[in-house]
Amino acid sequence: MKILARQLVIDMYDCKPEKLNDISLLSAALKNALDDNDFHPLQTEIKNLKGNHSMIFLPLSEGHLIVHVYPLLKYCAVDLFICEQNILSEKAILSLRKVIKPDKIKI
């Protein structure tokens, strides 16, 4: 059977607070990092939610990226969906790690 898509759920722990406090800068950095790694980000949407929690929704030509950001907890929850066979999910994970800088991740 041919695999049509991959979905990864990634928990990022002990993220650098300075990376999480400005959601607009974080969103721009994520978009640039993905763009630099052969992904094609589309219109980004940022939502500030209750409890000092924000969400970045970044549709990609290849799928989507959703990042829930909890600055006080130094934690990010990531949903990455890739529907292109020639795109490596590892490249996206490396891009995210470079921007968010967690001490620990769980995939």
Side-chain angles (χ1 to χ4, degrees):
M1 177 190 289
K2 193 174 192 178
I3 296 174
L4 299 177
R6 292 173 304 266
Q7 183 168 16
L8 298 173
V9 177
I10 307 163
D11 292 314
M12 296 188 166
Y13 302 96
D14 294 321
C15 302
K16 304 299 178 244
E18 64 273 9
K19 298 292 182 182
L20 305 183
N21 287 328
D22 189 330
I23 197 74
S24 294
L25 283 177
L26 176 59
S27 176
L30 288 171
K31 188 174 181 178
N32 290 336
L34 290 169
D35 192 42
D36 289 345
N37 284 283
D38 301 324
F39 289 90
H40 301 93
L42 305 172
Q43 183 70 31
T44 303
E45 188 174 337
I46 299 171
K47 296 287 184 187
N48 292 311
L49 306 169
K50 293 181 182 178
N52 196 27
H53 165 212
S54 300
M55 179 190 72
I56 301 168
F57 175 59
L58 213 152
L60 307 166
S61 294
E62 303 81 11
H64 71 257
L65 171 70
I66 301 171
V67 181
H68 289 268
V69 180
Y70 299 85
L72 294 178
L73 300 175
K74 300 191 292 184
Y75 170 76
C76 288
V78 178
D79 171 24
L80 175 63
F81 183 82
I82 300 172
C83 54
E84 291 278 331
Q85 289 192 4
N86 298 329
I87 300 287
L88 298 174
S89 55
E90 293 82 9
K91 288 174 76 172
I93 294 169
L94 287 174
S95 297
L96 296 171
R97 287 189 86 157
K98 286 180 184 178
V99 172
I100 298 173
K101 299 195 182 291
D103 285 343
K104 178 182 166 187
I105 70 167
K106 181 179 174 185
I107 301 173

